[in-house]
């Protein structure tokens, strides 16, 4: 059976592109994987926040912030919303926001999100929608904490947090 010329062309293009786009395969005889430059490894590990003005710059968490169950940095705000990076080092207290809807994206780590009467494991890339008035809280499950990107609508000033009994 003959291979169609179009498949041969695609296979040839993949073979030519492989050295420049993909890391070399590990040899089965135990050779060490090629090392990655430290700045590249850091860029893969540390999520970035990018907006119309470009990259917003890295947030540096202080030792005091890292010791807290929850620490937040407000990145910026518009008339209709505010954006925050939040470090989850432990468990935040159960609470509601009466005037705010929140969309949260897990950037790093792992946590359990309690939302209403449900508890769900969340991992990097998961998006959580928290409507105003719904009881919620997060519990970190990762060594060194977890980081989320949160968008509050309308802009959050820290006053609309109403603790609930556990």
């Amino acid at each position: 059976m003959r291979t169609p010329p179009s498949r041969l062309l695609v296979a040839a293009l993949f073979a030519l592109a492989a050295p420049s786009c993909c890391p070399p395969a590990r040899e089965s005889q135990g050779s060490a994987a090629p090392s990655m430059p430290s700045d590249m490894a850091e860029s893969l590990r540390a999520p970035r926040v990018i907006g119309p003005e470009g990259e917003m710059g890295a947030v540096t968490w202080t030792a005091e912030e890292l010791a807290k169950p929850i620490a937040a940095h407000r990145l910026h705000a518009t008339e209709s919303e505010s954006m925050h990076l939040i470090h989850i080092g432990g468990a935040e207290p159960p609470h509601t926001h009466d005037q705010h809807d929140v969309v949260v994206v897990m950037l790093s780590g792992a946590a359990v999100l309690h939302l209403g009467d449900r508890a769900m494991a969340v991992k990097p890339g998961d998006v959580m929608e928290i409507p105003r008035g719904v009881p919620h809280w997060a519990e970190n499950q990762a060594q060194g904490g977890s980081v989320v990107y949160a968008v509050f609508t309308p802009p959050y000033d820290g006053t609309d947090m109403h603790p609930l009994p556990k």
Side-chain angles (χ1 to χ4, degrees), residues 108-147:
S108 64
V112 172
L113 173 68
H114 300 267
L115 184 60
D117 60 355
R118 302 179 81 186
M120 294 154 279
V122 291
K123 62 187 181 326
D126 287 349
V127 177
M128 298 146 272
E129 295 181 358
I130 305 170
R132 63 189 70 194
V134 174
H136 64 280
W137 72 96
E139 295 179 77
N140 176 55
Q141 302 292 305
Q143 186 175 13
S146 299
V147 176

mmCIF file of all heavy atoms in Angstrom, residues 108-147:
data_model
loop_
_atom_site.group_PDB
_atom_site.id
_atom_site.type_symbol
_atom_site.label_atom_id
_atom_site.label_comp_id
_atom_site.label_asym_id
_atom_site.label_seq_id
_atom_site.Cartn_x
_atom_site.Cartn_y
_atom_site.Cartn_z
ATOM 1 N N SER A 108 -1.564 28.384 40.656
ATOM 2 C CA SER A 108 -0.576 27.401 41.111
ATOM 3 C C SER A 108 -1.048 26.791 42.415
ATOM 4 O O SER A 108 -1.845 27.379 43.142
ATOM 5 C CB SER A 108 0.802 28.063 41.296
ATOM 6 O OG SER A 108 0.756 29.034 42.322
ATOM 7 N N GLY A 109 -0.539 25.607 42.703
ATOM 8 C CA GLY A 109 -0.890 24.924 43.937
ATOM 9 C C GLY A 109 -2.084 24.004 43.779
ATOM 10 O O GLY A 109 -2.390 23.531 42.680
ATOM 11 N N ALA A 110 -2.767 23.778 44.878
ATOM 12 C CA ALA A 110 -3.959 22.935 44.911
ATOM 13 C C ALA A 110 -4.768 23.343 46.132
ATOM 14 O O ALA A 110 -4.204 23.742 47.150
ATOM 15 C CB ALA A 110 -3.579 21.460 44.994
ATOM 16 N N ALA A 111 -6.078 23.247 46.019
ATOM 17 C CA ALA A 111 -6.933 23.651 47.132
ATOM 18 C C ALA A 111 -8.234 22.876 47.078
ATOM 19 O O ALA A 111 -8.552 22.217 46.091
ATOM 20 C CB ALA A 111 -7.208 25.154 47.072
ATOM 21 N N VAL A 112 -8.977 22.976 48.164
ATOM 22 C CA VAL A 112 -10.356 22.514 48.200
ATOM 23 C C VAL A 112 -11.206 23.769 48.274
ATOM 24 O O VAL A 112 -11.008 24.611 49.157
ATOM 25 C CB VAL A 112 -10.627 21.589 49.403
ATOM 26 C CG1 VAL A 112 -12.117 21.277 49.513
ATOM 27 C CG2 VAL A 112 -9.820 20.306 49.281
ATOM 28 N N LEU A 113 -12.131 23.912 47.327
ATOM 29 C CA LEU A 113 -13.063 25.028 47.326
ATOM 30 C C LEU A 113 -14.389 24.545 47.895
ATOM 31 O O LEU A 113 -14.958 23.575 47.405
ATOM 32 C CB LEU A 113 -13.288 25.571 45.910
ATOM 33 C CG LEU A 113 -14.374 26.636 45.795
ATOM 34 C CD1 LEU A 113 -13.941 27.927 46.490
ATOM 35 C CD2 LEU A 113 -14.732 26.890 44.345
ATOM 36 N N HIS A 114 -14.843 25.223 48.935
ATOM 37 C CA HIS A 114 -16.168 24.981 49.497
ATOM 38 C C HIS A 114 -17.057 26.057 48.899
ATOM 39 O O HIS A 114 -16.816 27.254 49.096
ATOM 40 C CB HIS A 114 -16.137 25.093 51.017
ATOM 41 C CG HIS A 114 -15.212 24.101 51.644
ATOM 42 N ND1 HIS A 114 -15.634 22.863 52.082
ATOM 43 C CD2 HIS A 114 -13.877 24.153 51.881
ATOM 44 C CE1 HIS A 114 -14.599 22.202 52.582
ATOM 45 N NE2 HIS A 114 -13.520 22.955 52.469
ATOM 46 N N LEU A 115 -18.075 25.643 48.155
ATOM 47 C CA LEU A 115 -18.953 26.585 47.462
ATOM 48 C C LEU A 115 -20.382 26.124 47.697
ATOM 49 O O LEU A 115 -20.784 25.056 47.216
ATOM 50 C CB LEU A 115 -18.618 26.606 45.972
ATOM 51 C CG LEU A 115 -19.360 27.594 45.090
ATOM 52 C CD1 LEU A 115 -19.120 29.032 45.555
ATOM 53 C CD2 LEU A 115 -18.902 27.451 43.645
ATOM 54 N N GLY A 116 -21.127 26.924 48.459
ATOM 55 C CA GLY A 116 -22.454 26.476 48.865
ATOM 56 C C GLY A 116 -22.315 25.247 49.728
ATOM 57 O O GLY A 116 -21.533 25.235 50.676
ATOM 58 N N ASP A 117 -23.014 24.172 49.371
ATOM 59 C CA ASP A 117 -22.927 22.937 50.156
ATOM 60 C C ASP A 117 -22.024 21.886 49.510
ATOM 61 O O ASP A 117 -22.073 20.721 49.855
ATOM 62 C CB ASP A 117 -24.328 22.359 50.395
ATOM 63 C CG ASP A 117 -25.052 22.016 49.106
ATOM 64 O OD1 ASP A 117 -24.520 22.307 48.009
ATOM 65 O OD2 ASP A 117 -26.168 21.458 49.176
ATOM 66 N N ARG A 118 -21.167 22.311 48.578
ATOM 67 C CA ARG A 118 -20.259 21.387 47.893
ATOM 68 C C ARG A 118 -18.810 21.695 48.241
ATOM 69 O O ARG A 118 -18.464 22.843 48.517
ATOM 70 C CB ARG A 118 -20.438 21.504 46.382
ATOM 71 C CG ARG A 118 -21.863 21.228 45.939
ATOM 72 C CD ARG A 118 -22.009 21.382 44.473
ATOM 73 N NE ARG A 118 -21.518 20.149 43.870
ATOM 74 C CZ ARG A 118 -21.384 19.980 42.577
ATOM 75 N NH1 ARG A 118 -21.677 20.936 41.746
ATOM 76 N NH2 ARG A 118 -20.954 18.836 42.100
ATOM 77 N N ALA A 119 -17.967 20.679 48.172
ATOM 78 C CA ALA A 119 -16.519 20.839 48.326
ATOM 79 C C ALA A 119 -15.860 20.162 47.131
ATOM 80 O O ALA A 119 -16.171 19.004 46.829
ATOM 81 C CB ALA A 119 -16.030 20.209 49.629
ATOM 82 N N MET A 120 -14.984 20.901 46.432
ATOM 83 C CA MET A 120 -14.364 20.367 45.217
ATOM 84 C C MET A 120 -12.867 20.637 45.238
ATOM 85 O O MET A 120 -12.441 21.740 45.606
ATOM 86 C CB MET A 120 -14.977 21.049 43.990
ATOM 87 C CG MET A 120 -16.439 20.714 43.789
ATOM 88 S SD MET A 120 -17.301 22.009 42.880
ATOM 89 C CE MET A 120 -17.610 23.164 44.197
ATOM 90 N N ALA A 121 -12.085 19.660 44.821
ATOM 91 C CA ALA A 121 -10.649 19.857 44.653
ATOM 92 C C ALA A 121 -10.435 20.724 43.417
ATOM 93 O O ALA A 121 -11.088 20.517 42.391
ATOM 94 C CB ALA A 121 -9.937 18.519 44.504
ATOM 95 N N VAL A 122 -9.540 21.709 43.534
ATOM 96 C CA VAL A 122 -9.224 22.564 42.388
ATOM 97 C C VAL A 122 -7.726 22.540 42.153
ATOM 98 O O VAL A 122 -6.932 22.384 43.078
ATOM 99 C CB VAL A 122 -9.744 24.007 42.571
ATOM 100 C CG1 VAL A 122 -11.260 24.030 42.522
ATOM 101 C CG2 VAL A 122 -9.252 24.627 43.858
ATOM 102 N N LYS A 123 -7.361 22.686 40.876
ATOM 103 C CA LYS A 123 -5.959 22.605 40.460
ATOM 104 C C LYS A 123 -5.680 23.749 39.492
ATOM 105 O O LYS A 123 -6.608 24.412 39.031
ATOM 106 C CB LYS A 123 -5.696 21.249 39.810
ATOM 107 C CG LYS A 123 -6.514 21.023 38.547
ATOM 108 C CD LYS A 123 -6.345 19.615 38.037
ATOM 109 C CE LYS A 123 -7.108 19.335 36.776
ATOM 110 N NZ LYS A 123 -8.368 19.968 36.551
ATOM 111 N N PRO A 124 -4.412 23.998 39.167
ATOM 112 C CA PRO A 124 -4.087 25.074 38.232
ATOM 113 C C PRO A 124 -4.872 24.949 36.923
ATOM 114 O O PRO A 124 -5.021 23.862 36.373
ATOM 115 C CB PRO A 124 -2.584 24.913 38.002
ATOM 116 C CG PRO A 124 -2.101 24.307 39.288
ATOM 117 C CD PRO A 124 -3.203 23.352 39.693
ATOM 118 N N GLY A 125 -5.414 26.079 36.504
ATOM 119 C CA GLY A 125 -6.212 26.133 35.288
ATOM 120 C C GLY A 125 -7.703 26.102 35.553
ATOM 121 O O GLY A 125 -8.497 26.489 34.699
ATOM 122 N N ASP A 126 -8.108 25.642 36.740
ATOM 123 C CA ASP A 126 -9.535 25.609 37.058
ATOM 124 C C ASP A 126 -10.064 27.024 37.255
ATOM 125 O O ASP A 126 -9.378 27.883 37.815
ATOM 126 C CB ASP A 126 -9.803 24.785 38.315
ATOM 127 C CG ASP A 126 -9.654 23.289 38.089
ATOM 128 O OD1 ASP A 126 -9.552 22.865 36.918
ATOM 129 O OD2 ASP A 126 -9.637 22.545 39.088
ATOM 130 N N VAL A 127 -11.287 27.248 36.794
ATOM 131 C CA VAL A 127 -11.960 28.536 36.938
ATOM 132 C C VAL A 127 -13.157 28.325 37.848
ATOM 133 O O VAL A 127 -13.956 27.412 37.642
ATOM 134 C CB VAL A 127 -12.424 29.078 35.568
ATOM 135 C CG1 VAL A 127 -13.178 30.383 35.725
ATOM 136 C CG2 VAL A 127 -11.234 29.239 34.625
ATOM 137 N N MET A 128 -13.272 29.179 38.859
ATOM 138 C CA MET A 128 -14.360 29.079 39.818
ATOM 139 C C MET A 128 -15.225 30.331 39.733
ATOM 140 O O MET A 128 -14.695 31.434 39.734
ATOM 141 C CB MET A 128 -13.792 28.925 41.234
ATOM 142 C CG MET A 128 -12.971 27.649 41.396
ATOM 143 S SD MET A 128 -11.570 27.831 42.529
ATOM 144 C CE MET A 128 -10.306 28.397 41.397
ATOM 145 N N GLU A 129 -16.532 30.146 39.645
ATOM 146 C CA GLU A 129 -17.467 31.258 39.625
ATOM 147 C C GLU A 129 -18.188 31.284 40.960
ATOM 148 O O GLU A 129 -18.813 30.300 41.353
ATOM 149 C CB GLU A 129 -18.477 31.097 38.491
ATOM 150 C CG GLU A 129 -17.841 31.168 37.124
ATOM 151 C CD GLU A 129 -18.862 31.022 36.001
ATOM 152 O OE1 GLU A 129 -20.068 30.828 36.272
ATOM 153 O OE2 GLU A 129 -18.435 31.103 34.846
ATOM 154 N N ILE A 130 -18.106 32.417 41.654
ATOM 155 C CA ILE A 130 -18.706 32.551 42.978
ATOM 156 C C ILE A 130 -19.698 33.711 42.934
ATOM 157 O O ILE A 130 -19.296 34.883 42.988
ATOM 158 C CB ILE A 130 -17.616 32.791 44.049
ATOM 159 C CG1 ILE A 130 -16.564 31.667 43.981
ATOM 160 C CG2 ILE A 130 -18.245 32.891 45.430
ATOM 161 C CD1 ILE A 130 -15.322 31.908 44.808
ATOM 162 N N PRO A 131 -20.994 33.409 42.831
ATOM 163 C CA PRO A 131 -21.990 34.481 42.804
ATOM 164 C C PRO A 131 -22.134 35.146 44.170
ATOM 165 O O PRO A 131 -21.899 34.522 45.214
ATOM 166 C CB PRO A 131 -23.289 33.761 42.435
ATOM 167 C CG PRO A 131 -22.890 32.407 41.943
ATOM 168 C CD PRO A 131 -21.570 32.100 42.597
ATOM 169 N N ARG A 132 -22.516 36.409 44.151
ATOM 170 C CA ARG A 132 -22.735 37.131 45.412
ATOM 171 C C ARG A 132 -23.739 36.373 46.283
ATOM 172 O O ARG A 132 -24.654 35.730 45.778
ATOM 173 C CB ARG A 132 -23.189 38.559 45.158
ATOM 174 C CG ARG A 132 -24.498 38.694 44.449
ATOM 175 C CD ARG A 132 -24.790 40.111 44.038
ATOM 176 N NE ARG A 132 -23.877 40.459 42.961
ATOM 177 C CZ ARG A 132 -23.664 41.694 42.532
ATOM 178 N NH1 ARG A 132 -24.308 42.702 43.068
ATOM 179 N NH2 ARG A 132 -22.816 41.933 41.572
ATOM 180 N N GLY A 133 -23.483 36.414 47.590
ATOM 181 C CA GLY A 133 -24.379 35.779 48.550
ATOM 182 C C GLY A 133 -24.149 34.302 48.785
ATOM 183 O O GLY A 133 -24.734 33.728 49.702
ATOM 184 N N VAL A 134 -23.316 33.641 47.990
ATOM 185 C CA VAL A 134 -23.089 32.197 48.150
ATOM 186 C C VAL A 134 -21.943 31.964 49.138
ATOM 187 O O VAL A 134 -20.839 32.494 48.954
ATOM 188 C CB VAL A 134 -22.767 31.528 46.788
ATOM 189 C CG1 VAL A 134 -22.397 30.064 46.984
ATOM 190 C CG2 VAL A 134 -23.946 31.666 45.840
ATOM 191 N N PRO A 135 -22.198 31.197 50.200
ATOM 192 C CA PRO A 135 -21.117 30.897 51.151
ATOM 193 C C PRO A 135 -19.970 30.160 50.450
ATOM 194 O O PRO A 135 -20.210 29.269 49.628
ATOM 195 C CB PRO A 135 -21.786 29.977 52.177
ATOM 196 C CG PRO A 135 -23.256 30.247 52.042
ATOM 197 C CD PRO A 135 -23.466 30.594 50.593
ATOM 198 N N HIS A 136 -18.745 30.544 50.792
ATOM 199 C CA HIS A 136 -17.579 29.901 50.183
ATOM 200 C C HIS A 136 -16.345 30.112 51.042
ATOM 201 O O HIS A 136 -16.293 31.014 51.865
ATOM 202 C CB HIS A 136 -17.337 30.430 48.762
ATOM 203 C CG HIS A 136 -16.996 31.884 48.720
ATOM 204 N ND1 HIS A 136 -17.953 32.872 48.807
ATOM 205 C CD2 HIS A 136 -15.808 32.527 48.631
ATOM 206 C CE1 HIS A 136 -17.373 34.055 48.740
ATOM 207 N NE2 HIS A 136 -16.062 33.878 48.652
ATOM 208 N N TRP A 137 -15.344 29.264 50.823
ATOM 209 C CA TRP A 137 -14.008 29.412 51.381
ATOM 210 C C TRP A 137 -13.100 28.405 50.717
ATOM 211 O O TRP A 137 -13.556 27.437 50.128
ATOM 212 C CB TRP A 137 -13.994 29.286 52.902
ATOM 213 C CG TRP A 137 -14.207 27.919 53.480
ATOM 214 C CD1 TRP A 137 -13.248 27.034 53.884
ATOM 215 C CD2 TRP A 137 -15.461 27.282 53.760
ATOM 216 N NE1 TRP A 137 -13.821 25.891 54.391
ATOM 217 C CE2 TRP A 137 -15.190 26.024 54.323
ATOM 218 C CE3 TRP A 137 -16.797 27.658 53.583
ATOM 219 C CZ2 TRP A 137 -16.177 25.140 54.712
ATOM 220 C CZ3 TRP A 137 -17.789 26.775 53.968
ATOM 221 C CH2 TRP A 137 -17.478 25.541 54.519
ATOM 222 N N ALA A 138 -11.819 28.675 50.767
ATOM 223 C CA ALA A 138 -10.824 27.788 50.161
ATOM 224 C C ALA A 138 -9.856 27.308 51.224
ATOM 225 O O ALA A 138 -9.539 28.042 52.163
ATOM 226 C CB ALA A 138 -10.067 28.512 49.052
ATOM 227 N N GLU A 139 -9.389 26.075 51.054
ATOM 228 C CA GLU A 139 -8.380 25.481 51.937
ATOM 229 C C GLU A 139 -7.204 25.036 51.085
ATOM 230 O O GLU A 139 -7.358 24.189 50.200
ATOM 231 C CB GLU A 139 -8.947 24.262 52.659
ATOM 232 C CG GLU A 139 -10.066 24.571 53.617
ATOM 233 C CD GLU A 139 -10.578 23.297 54.271
ATOM 234 O OE1 GLU A 139 -9.896 22.791 55.187
ATOM 235 O OE2 GLU A 139 -11.634 22.814 53.837
ATOM 236 N N ASN A 140 -6.040 25.592 51.352
ATOM 237 C CA ASN A 140 -4.844 25.214 50.615
ATOM 238 C C ASN A 140 -4.512 23.746 50.849
ATOM 239 O O ASN A 140 -4.641 23.238 51.959
ATOM 240 C CB ASN A 140 -3.653 26.085 51.064
ATOM 241 C CG ASN A 140 -2.384 25.650 50.390
ATOM 242 O OD1 ASN A 140 -2.312 25.580 49.173
ATOM 243 N ND2 ASN A 140 -1.376 25.327 51.189
ATOM 244 N N GLN A 141 -4.029 23.076 49.802
ATOM 245 C CA GLN A 141 -3.596 21.681 49.879
ATOM 246 C C GLN A 141 -2.169 21.501 49.368
ATOM 247 O O GLN A 141 -1.706 20.369 49.245
ATOM 248 C CB GLN A 141 -4.544 20.794 49.052
ATOM 249 C CG GLN A 141 -5.992 20.861 49.485
ATOM 250 C CD GLN A 141 -6.210 20.251 50.849
ATOM 251 O OE1 GLN A 141 -5.864 19.101 51.100
ATOM 252 N NE2 GLN A 141 -6.774 21.031 51.754
ATOM 253 N N ALA A 142 -1.493 22.604 49.045
ATOM 254 C CA ALA A 142 -0.163 22.515 48.428
ATOM 255 C C ALA A 142 0.920 23.017 49.379
ATOM 256 O O ALA A 142 0.735 24.022 50.066
ATOM 257 C CB ALA A 142 -0.125 23.337 47.137
ATOM 258 N N GLN A 143 2.029 22.323 49.374
ATOM 259 C CA GLN A 143 3.161 22.784 50.154
ATOM 260 C C GLN A 143 3.604 24.131 49.599
ATOM 261 O O GLN A 143 3.738 24.314 48.398
ATOM 262 C CB GLN A 143 4.304 21.774 50.072
ATOM 263 C CG GLN A 143 5.463 22.123 50.963
ATOM 264 C CD GLN A 143 6.524 21.033 50.951
ATOM 265 O OE1 GLN A 143 6.528 20.147 50.122
ATOM 266 N NE2 GLN A 143 7.438 21.124 51.904
ATOM 267 N N GLY A 144 3.785 25.107 50.461
ATOM 268 C CA GLY A 144 4.198 26.441 50.034
ATOM 269 C C GLY A 144 3.037 27.333 49.623
ATOM 270 O O GLY A 144 3.225 28.492 49.295
ATOM 271 N N GLY A 145 1.822 26.817 49.636
ATOM 272 C CA GLY A 145 0.655 27.633 49.344
ATOM 273 C C GLY A 145 0.213 27.562 47.894
ATOM 274 O O GLY A 145 0.860 26.947 47.049
ATOM 275 N N SER A 146 -0.897 28.196 47.625
ATOM 276 C CA SER A 146 -1.498 28.260 46.292
ATOM 277 C C SER A 146 -1.717 29.719 45.932
ATOM 278 O O SER A 146 -1.846 30.569 46.812
ATOM 279 C CB SER A 146 -2.844 27.533 46.288
ATOM 280 O OG SER A 146 -2.680 26.170 46.624
ATOM 281 N N VAL A 147 -1.774 30.007 44.629
ATOM 282 C CA VAL A 147 -2.013 31.380 44.172
ATOM 283 C C VAL A 147 -3.170 31.360 43.186
ATOM 284 O O VAL A 147 -3.219 30.512 42.291
ATOM 285 C CB VAL A 147 -0.754 31.992 43.513
ATOM 286 C CG1 VAL A 147 -1.047 33.387 42.964
ATOM 287 C CG2 VAL A 147 0.388 32.055 44.523
#
